[in-house]
């Protein structure tokens, strides 16, 4: 199969998707650019309160008319299975849309994003009739039990780095648990999620159960968090926005929030890591993938002293062995930065890191080999002290800081981050080393001999500390969209 395509031939959805159809609403216009060449691919409007009110009204009507939360669970599952099939049917289109509008490469978007999104929907559909409660110990003639119920309307807000998958981690469990959803796309990458909402409608999901609105965070996003009829908020994005959302949720009537936030994840390589060429390729991919725009990115490389020179040299070689280019060209291996604004933010932070004492091993500026788009050169920095901004903050680009350690205790101490605790990895064939890192490093996800998960759905994703709380995916990701009710019956 040939994946490359001409981006000018792909149709782009227009409007908000509310009540099962596209709706045009007034609001400030936002021109959406293709990150590969910065050409406009569509215009959305900032829906604001109007779009949220319309979505909530539509959600309430749909919940009342369809009995979505209380229908025979298998019936709910059946509809979601049809939704998953529709996504697969349109995977090529969805994958192209994703590649056009985000930094995801078309070599991966059809299978890795679109078909995987269908998998997420199917995974959670399977939970519909597997919701269980408990019967607890009581005195005689009483029954005490717990049951899980949907919240009603769930609100969700997502970022731009994996637009479809990150959204599916939220809308799929929320719907499967019996909620209606009001969701905001990222204003930078709205189109693929709008197309997913269209798939849901085409598959027969009753209109109003899955509403997708467009707009800025401080306007439309904030209205979702504030809305009194939205019972829970699930958010993925930066730690800074997570803080704002917690405050808003507290100020507007107290509602639970699930926060998947930023990270500054270490990858530790010990002298027992095995084949050095293989490790170098793995380690380099772990910070260059998706142009470095991954929340769990292995952005701190910690190498054991005795192999540090050799491994650093090999990783440096890998940073030169890339093909930057348009996301719609299947031969491209290195992705652009999502926007000029984000490019400037990254570069300013790299220059500040250098000003604060870091040494450049490679990169630290624009990639010269491409004329269009915002391509940041794979960058390796060393001598980055723990009080340097380059250690404390998230670059969210293809940048790694490199340090050395004398023994595993030192590596574990260095791996702990004062702010973030999203992910960590260790590369070693020594089981004791692997288990010590898994036990000791403060992170919500720890990987051994890889950094990142396989494309399975059974893991839970989520961080510690300022990387957030609550989980996406897995059983915990489903249960997050239910609330537990305790019932006490006296039948004496
Ligand atoms: P962001 O926080 O700027 O925006 C995320 C979303 O929040 C967008 O839709 C935005 O419009 C909205 N938003 C912004 N301000 C808001 C407000 N006041 N109220 C309500 N909504 C608001 O993040 P981004 O730049 O889109 O994404 C990059 C960040 O996301 C990185 O920090 C990355 O680590 C994080 N991320 C985390 C995970 C995870 O699972 N932990 C996954 C992907 C990305």
């Amino acid at each position: 199969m040939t994946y490359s395509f001409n981006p000018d031939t792909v149709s782009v959805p227009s409007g908000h998707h509310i009540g099962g159809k596209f709706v045009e609403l007034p609001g400030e216009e936002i021109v959406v650019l293709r990150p590969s060449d910065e050409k406009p691919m569509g215009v959305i409007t900032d829906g604001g309160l109007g779009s949220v009110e319309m979505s909530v009204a539509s959600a309430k009507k749909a919940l009342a008319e369809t009995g979505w939360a209380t229908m025979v669970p298998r019936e709910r599952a059946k509809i979601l299975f049809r939704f998953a099939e529709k996504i697969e049917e349109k995977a090529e289109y969805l994958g192209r849309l994703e590649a056009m509008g985000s930094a995801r490469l078309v070599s991966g978007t059809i299978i890795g994003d679109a078909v995987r999104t269908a998998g997420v929907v199917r995974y959670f559909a399977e939970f519909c009739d597997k919701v269980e409660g408990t019967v607890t110990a009581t005195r005689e003639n009483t029954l005490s039990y717990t049951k899980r119920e949907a919240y009603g309307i769930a609100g969700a807000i997502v970022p731009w780095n994996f637009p479809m998958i990150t959204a599916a981690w939220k809308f799929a469990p929320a719907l499967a648990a019996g909620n209606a959803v009001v969701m905001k796309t990222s204003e930078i990458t709205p189109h693929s999620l709008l197309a997913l909402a269209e798939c849901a409608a085409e598959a027969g999901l009753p209109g109003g159960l899955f509403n997708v609105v467009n707009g800025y965070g401080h306007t439309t996003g904030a209205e979702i968090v504030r809305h009194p009829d939205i019972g829970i908020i699930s958010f993925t994005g930066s730690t800074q926005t997570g803080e704002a959302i917690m405050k808003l949720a507290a100020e507007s009537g107290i509602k639970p929030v699930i926060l998947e936030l930023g990270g500054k994840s270490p990858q530790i390589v010990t002298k027992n890591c095995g084949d050095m060429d293989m490790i170098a390729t793995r380690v380099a991919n772990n910070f260059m993938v998706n142009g470095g725009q991954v929340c769990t990115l292995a952005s701190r490389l910690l190498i054991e002293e005795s192999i540090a020179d050799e491994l650093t040299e090999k990783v440096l070689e890998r940073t030169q062995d890339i093909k930057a280019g348009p996301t719609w060209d299947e031969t491209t291996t290195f992705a652009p930065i999502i926007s000029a604004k984000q490019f400037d933010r990254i570069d300013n932070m790299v220059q500040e890191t250098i000003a604060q004492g870091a040494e450049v091993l490679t990169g630290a500026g624009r990639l010269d080999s491409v004329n269009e788009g915002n391509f940041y050169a794979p960058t390796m920095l060393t001598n980055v002290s723990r009080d340097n901004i380059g250690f404390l903050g998230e670059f969210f680009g293809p940048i790694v800081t490199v340090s050395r350690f004398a023994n595993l205790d030192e590596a574990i101490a260095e791996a702990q981050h004062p702010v973030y605790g999203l992910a960590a990895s260790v590369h070693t064939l020594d089981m004791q080393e692997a288990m010590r890192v898994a036990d000791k490093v403060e992170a919500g996800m720890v990987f051994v001999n890889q950094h990142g998960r396989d494309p399975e759905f059974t893991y839970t994703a989520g961080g510690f500390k300022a990387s957030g709380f609550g989980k996406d995916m897995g059983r915990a990701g489903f249960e997050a969209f239910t609330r537990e009710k305790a019932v006490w019956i006296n039948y004496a």
Side-chain angles (χ1 to χ4, degrees):
M1 181 178 178
T2 306
Y3 291 121
S4 297
F5 66 99
N6 175 354
D8 296 325
T9 60
V10 180
S11 71
V12 173
S14 170
H16 309 259
H17 203 276
I18 302 175
K21 54 182 189 300
F22 284 111
V23 195
E24 299 292 344
L25 293 174
E28 185 186 327
E29 290 195 345
I30 305 169
V31 179
V32 179
L33 303 178
R34 309 190 299 216
S36 297
D37 60 5
E38 298 213 275
K39 296 207 172 103
M41 73 178 270
V43 179
I44 54 168
T45 61
D46 182 12
L49 181 60
S51 65
V52 177
E53 290 282 22
M54 186 187 263
S55 299
V56 168
S58 180
K60 278 185 178 171
K61 187 161 174 283
L63 286 171
E65 286 176 358
T66 64
W68 182 248
T70 49
M71 70 168 55
V72 177
R74 267 282 131 187
E75 292 303 314
R76 200 160 63 233
K78 252 194 228 166
I79 296 173
L80 293 176
F81 285 134
R82 285 209 301 270
F83 179 15
E85 274 161 30
K86 182 57 74 178
I87 295 171
E88 275 173 352
E89 223 176 278
K90 294 174 82 171
E92 190 171 323
Y93 168 62
L94 292 166
R96 288 181 173 187
L97 207 51
E98 192 76 319
M100 234 166 109
S102 77
R104 308 283 303 131
L105 304 179
V106 70
S107 51
T109 52
I110 295 168
I111 304 298
D113 295 77
V115 173
R116 205 159 147 197
T117 293
V120 173
V121 174
R122 203 168 276 128
Y123 172 77
F124 282 113
E126 284 291 352
F127 274 98
C128 288
D129 57 0
K130 294 171 191 71
V131 188
E132 288 169 358
T134 53
V135 175
T136 54
T138 56
R139 64 178 166 80
E140 66 174 343
N141 296 332
T142 58
L143 173 65
S144 167
Y145 66 92
T146 62
K147 61 187 293 228
R148 289 195 168 272
E149 295 180 348
Y151 278 90
I153 307 177
I157 300 171
V158 285
W160 45 259
N161 57 337
F162 293 85
M164 285 197 287
I165 281 279
T166 321
W169 286 9
K170 300 183 185 309
F171 70 68
L175 288 169
N179 300 280
V181 174
V182 177
M183 184 155 206
K184 191 186 86 61
T185 61
S186 164
E187 61 275 26
I188 304 173
T189 56
H191 295 110
S192 55
L193 179 50
L194 290 165
L196 282 180
E198 187 181 31
C199 287
E202 288 171 357
L205 183 76
L209 292 176
F210 181 25
N211 304 284
V212 176
V213 297
N214 303 309
Y216 293 117
H218 66 281
T219 51
T220 309
E223 295 300 352
I224 291 178
V225 182
R226 268 195 212 110
H227 202 287
D229 295 334
I230 294 182
I232 180 169
I233 299 294
S234 180
F235 169 75
T236 298
S238 64
T239 294
Q240 195 188 11
T241 308
E243 281 172 14
I245 284 177
M246 272 188 93
K247 278 189 202 143
L248 262 184
E251 284 160 11
S252 41
I254 304 282
K255 61 185 72 173
V257 290
I258 300 162
L259 300 177
E260 303 295 347
L261 308 176
K264 190 76 180 177
S265 303
Q267 61 174 336
I268 299 171
V269 186
T270 81
K271 62 179 186 305
N272 302 313
C273 62
D275 181 76
M276 202 79 96
D277 284 309
M278 190 258 290
I279 295 294
T281 302
R282 188 197 288 165
V283 161
N285 285 339
N286 288 344
F287 78 89
M288 296 195 296
V289 60
N290 211 33
Q293 300 157 109
V294 181
C295 57
T296 51
L297 196 80
S299 53
R300 293 187 290 137
L301 175 58
L302 285 60
I303 315 175
E304 189 155 358
E305 187 72 60
S306 60
I307 58 165
D309 285 340
E310 187 186 350
L311 185 62
T312 305
E313 201 46 49
K314 285 181 187 291
V315 176
L316 274 168
E317 280 166 23
R318 305 306 191 266
T319 63
Q320 309 309 307
D321 187 21
I322 54 169
K323 183 170 182 293
T327 43
W328 45 81
D329 179 341
E330 65 185 15
T331 65
T332 297
T333 62
F334 185 71
I337 300 300
I338 194 76
S339 66
K341 189 173 161 205
Q342 192 66 8
F343 181 98
D344 289 343
R345 194 194 64 77
I346 292 169
D347 194 44
N348 288 339
M349 193 169 153
V350 168
Q351 301 316 325
E352 183 56 29
T353 303
I354 297 164
Q356 291 182 14
E359 188 189 318
V360 179
L361 296 175
T362 186
R366 184 173 289 277
L367 195 66
D368 297 328
S369 56
V370 266
N371 300 324
E372 294 179 308
N374 298 294
F375 287 88
Y376 204 84
T379 297
M380 296 174 69
L381 304 171
T382 191
N383 287 337
V384 180
S385 59
R386 286 178 77 88
D387 58 356
N388 189 313
I389 188 178
F391 172 82
L392 292 168
E394 191 185 24
F395 288 109
F396 220 57
I399 293 125
V400 73
T401 61
V402 186
S403 62
R404 301 166 177 234
F405 61 87
N407 56 54
L408 200 63
D409 285 340
E410 208 178 290
I412 290 169
E414 176 65 19
Q416 313 292 16
H417 196 273
V419 179
Y420 295 112
L422 190 57
S425 63
V426 57
H427 305 264
T428 177
L429 301 178
D430 178 326
M431 195 185 72
Q432 284 180 335
E433 286 185 336
M435 294 310 295
R436 274 176 63 204
V437 171
D439 287 347
K440 300 277 181 205
V441 174
E442 221 181 341
M445 296 169 264
V446 179
F447 308 105
V448 177
N449 293 327
Q450 63 187 62
H451 189 103
R453 314 158 275 255
D454 285 353
E456 297 297 331
F457 312 113
T458 49
Y459 56 82
T460 57
F464 292 171
K465 307 203 294 189
S467 294
F469 52 78
K471 300 289 172 193
D472 273 339
M473 294 307 296
R475 177 168 286 278
F478 173 79
E479 289 186 346
F481 288 97
T482 66
R483 51 189 172 181
E484 192 175 79
K485 179 180 277 180
V487 182
W488 184 276
I489 301 168
N490 180 345
Y491 56 88

